[in-house]
Amino acid sequence: MDGGTYRYRRYGAFEYDAVEGIFRLLPHAPYEQSKAINHLNGGFKRYFEPFEQSFIDHLS
């Protein structure tokens, strides 16, 4: 990383089922962004806590 101070984050990924009209939470995994998109902090896995259940429940 670049030594900066960053805010606290959580991360999760969903898929949307257009037929059923619902979001499905995908298995928790690290966040990755390529260096082509983020020249400063791209190119490695970042590990964030998963979303809180109350956030997930709010989507339904």
Side-chain angles (χ1 to χ4, degrees):
M1 296 264 276
D2 61 6
T5 302
Y6 295 88
R7 64 189 176 272
Y8 180 76
R9 299 176 184 179
R10 288 183 177 266
Y11 174 73
F14 295 85
E15 66 180 7
Y16 180 68
D17 184 322
V19 173
E20 295 185 35
I22 59 171
F23 287 96
R24 286 192 188 92
L25 181 63
L26 298 174
H28 191 65
Y31 174 79
E32 282 189 80
Q33 190 174 43
S34 76
K35 238 177 165 19
I37 294 172
N38 185 338
H39 299 285
L40 182 61
N41 289 320
F44 63 93
K45 295 178 183 180
R46 295 190 218 175
Y47 295 86
F48 299 111
E49 291 293 318
F51 290 130
E52 292 182 343
Q53 190 62 46
S54 60
F55 175 83
I56 296 166
D57 293 343
H58 186 72
L59 294 174
S60 47

